[in-house]
Amino acid sequence: MRRLLARRMKFHLFGAFFVSLGCAALYKFGVAEPRKRAYAEFYKNYDPMKDFEAMRAAGVFESAPPK
């Protein structure tokens, strides 16, 4: 029973490190990278003036009344 806590702590410390490393990798490649690609694809063809004119025509802005 000597040093039982130290042995178990070492095992759990390494296990927790590798599990957290795995979770970080899964998040990066499963969430962050697809999100970056989606934003890049959206802004590749995005025209802010066209969007502004559509919102202006819909009456969204108080300072820029519809024409």
Side-chain angles (χ1 to χ4, degrees):
M1 297 289 281
R2 287 182 184 223
R3 291 187 274 288
L4 179 64
L5 178 63
R7 277 187 294 158
R8 305 267 307 162
M9 184 67 76
K10 203 178 294 185
F11 173 76
H12 285 103
L13 185 67
F14 287 125
F17 176 75
F18 288 119
V19 167
S20 65
L21 197 63
C23 288
L26 281 174
Y27 181 82
K28 177 175 174 42
F29 295 113
V31 176
E33 292 298 325
R35 187 177 290 171
K36 285 180 192 176
R37 282 194 301 273
Y39 274 106
E41 184 64 32
F42 174 77
Y43 282 111
K44 205 179 286 184
N45 301 319
Y46 179 66
D47 183 17
M49 287 309 294
K50 181 180 172 187
D51 200 24
F52 171 73
E53 291 300 330
M55 287 190 283
R56 184 180 190 180
V60 174
F61 303 116
E62 291 180 14
S63 61
K67 288 186 176 181

